[in-house]
Amino acid sequence: MFSLFRFTILLLLFPVPAIPALASSVSPAPGPNLAGILFFKTDCVECLEVINEIIPTAFDKSSSDRSILAVNNSLPDGGQLFLEFLMTRKIPPNATLPIFITQNEIWSSKEEISRNLNNLLRSQHDFFPPDHFPSKNLVANLVSPNPNQRYSTAFLITKNTRPKQQNWLDYFYSNYQKDPVGNGTAVIVLLGMIFSLAYIFKLFINRPADSQFALPSLYPVLCLIAMGIAIYLFMSGLMESELSCGPVGECNTVQQSKYAKLFGIIPVSLLGMFAYAACIVFWLAARFDVWSQKKLFVVSAWACSVIAVCFFVYLTFLEPFVIGATCIWCVTSATITTITALVATKPALAAIHS
């Protein structure tokens, strides 16, 4: 949740570059004064910081007439150029975006770019020769929109030509438009979860008088279905196989995004497996009144489901508005989890207030 808060604040303070608007105002190909190439993605927080904060600050501190070519690695031509540099310049395989390539060096973090960029712009000798590009024909067309894609792949940043900026609402909308049908489905599920949480909160305040606090048999059935989805997503990620997504959404785009892992380490699907397993254990403990603590286990099962719904709100928001793609398996699991929270609410609240 902290990363979502940080990402939203970043977009408010340093909006993302509006690539299409700038592409028509720059030269069609990098010139002899090119300082280097920045590879970025629009869902990369550190990339936005480099483009909107670090690079402009470095230009302000120098009188350089250099330019920097910013290349969107998530678009086809940008990805192709990155792969060519990966082979010819031997970019470390563990390097993560943002990646800045100069004539002689490769910087692979926001801190490294910030530390070295000032000296690069002040230098009168170090520049990126056009003949260093692996594919000159590809580079010549980078800053012109491809007819088959919505945005141009790259744009030039100079001291006098900064990326035109769009506010965070425009950014969210542009990502949503990448797949209106799939992302629209995610938005509907997102709204359903928010209203469900509001309904649960209302019930909690009103203290229902129902004295029955047994969890229904539907609860573990739903948990097992959601757990099966989580296992499928986890195994697909483990074996690096493509997901079967169906006609709605782009599951593999979501699965391959950095948001598929918490803190970049723990697969979200693995967390889901443990959460659903815990819910089933709580249901069984309540059903058989283990340690004569039925009320405690009913409330624990409900709390686990509600926490899972809150986490799904965060994940489901990311899909249409940040990643720009929706995983139908994820929104299905989110829907099932929301139902488990709803069916457990009244028994849990009865247990709390009895």
Side-chain angles (χ1 to χ4, degrees):
M1 190 64 69
F2 172 75
S3 20
L4 174 61
F5 175 77
R6 179 169 175 258
F7 191 85
T8 305
I9 293 299
L10 176 67
L11 290 173
L12 289 169
L13 296 178
F14 307 109
V16 297
I19 297 173
L22 183 70
S24 60
S25 65
V26 297
S27 56
N33 289 326
L34 185 67
I37 306 170
L38 172 71
F39 285 100
F40 74 96
K41 286 185 179 180
T42 55
D43 64 350
C44 165
V45 173
E46 292 194 348
C47 298
L48 301 185
E49 290 177 337
V50 169
I51 292 173
N52 291 309
E53 182 181 9
I54 292 174
I55 292 178
T57 300
F59 272 122
D60 290 340
K61 291 180 179 178
S62 72
S63 57
S64 174
D65 62 348
R66 304 295 180 85
S67 61
I68 293 172
L69 181 66
V71 180
N72 189 342
N73 190 40
S74 63
L75 296 178
D77 288 346
Q80 181 182 341
L81 182 64
F82 180 76
L83 288 175
E84 292 179 355
F85 272 112
L86 187 67
M87 293 183 289
T88 59
R89 291 294 300 273
K90 297 181 179 179
I91 299 174
N94 60 342
T96 57
L97 296 179
I99 292 177
F100 196 102
I101 300 178
T102 72
Q103 181 184 16
N104 302 309
E105 297 180 333
I106 297 172
W107 309 328
S108 61
S109 71
K110 179 189 72 174
E111 290 75 17
E112 193 173 9
I113 294 171
S114 178
R115 187 169 58 249
N116 295 300
L117 188 58
N118 289 335
N119 290 334
L120 177 67
L121 293 178
R122 291 192 189 105
S123 171
Q124 299 299 317
H125 305 289
D126 292 336
F127 62 89
F128 200 102
D131 58 7
H132 275 47
F133 283 93
S135 175
K136 299 178 184 60
N137 292 332
L138 173 64
V139 174
N141 297 320
L142 278 178
V143 296
S144 301
N146 185 318
N148 298 320
Q149 65 191 36
R150 183 180 178 85
Y151 302 117
S152 28
T153 300
F155 57 94
L156 289 173
I157 308 174
T158 68
K159 186 176 182 65
N160 299 318
T161 307
R162 306 288 178 83
K164 290 185 69 175
Q165 297 180 336
Q166 61 188 52
N167 61 41
W168 57 280
L169 287 176
D170 291 334
Y171 171 71
F172 289 155
Y173 181 72
S174 66
N175 282 328
Y176 175 85
Q177 286 297 315
K178 292 178 182 178
D179 181 13
V181 176
N183 292 336
T185 303
V187 170
I188 293 172
V189 173
L190 176 61
L191 292 174
M193 286 190 289
I194 293 172
F195 284 122
S196 297
L197 289 173
Y199 174 71
I200 290 171
F201 180 75
K202 179 183 176 182
L203 289 179
F204 184 83
I205 297 298
N206 291 340
R207 297 191 177 190
D210 188 354
S211 60
Q212 298 297 320
F213 50 85
L215 289 171
S217 299
L218 177 63
Y219 184 86
V221 174
L222 293 171
C223 289
L224 283 171
I225 295 172
M227 188 177 181
I229 294 175
I231 292 173
Y232 172 60
L233 294 175
F234 177 72
M235 294 305 297
S236 295
L238 194 64
M239 296 185 294
E240 298 183 350
S241 59
E242 288 197 359
L243 295 169
S244 177
C245 199
V248 177
E250 298 178 14
C251 302
N252 293 292
T253 301
V254 177
Q255 181 84 330
Q256 293 163 13
S257 75
K258 65 179 182 180
Y259 300 104
K261 292 184 178 180
L262 191 65
F263 309 120
I265 301 173
I266 307 171
V268 171
S269 54
L270 181 62
L271 290 178
M273 289 165 54
F274 284 119
Y276 297 124
C279 289
I280 293 171
V281 169
F282 290 141
W283 178 83
L284 288 170
R287 184 65 177 263
F288 296 101
D289 198 11
V290 177
W291 302 321
S292 300
Q293 295 293 326
K294 181 175 182 178
K295 292 182 181 181
L296 174 63
F297 290 122
V298 168
V299 173
S300 297
W302 169 73
C304 188
S305 293
V306 171
I307 292 171
V309 174
C310 292
F311 190 59
F312 265 119
V313 168
Y314 161 66
L315 295 176
T316 308
F317 171 83
L318 291 177
E319 288 184 327
F321 299 120
V322 177
I323 302 172
T326 293
C327 172
I328 197 65
W329 293 108
C330 301
V331 296
T332 300
S333 185
T335 302
I336 293 172
T337 304
T338 303
I339 297 173
T340 65
L342 289 171
V343 300
T345 295
K346 286 187 177 181
L349 295 183
I352 291 173
H353 299 303
S354 65

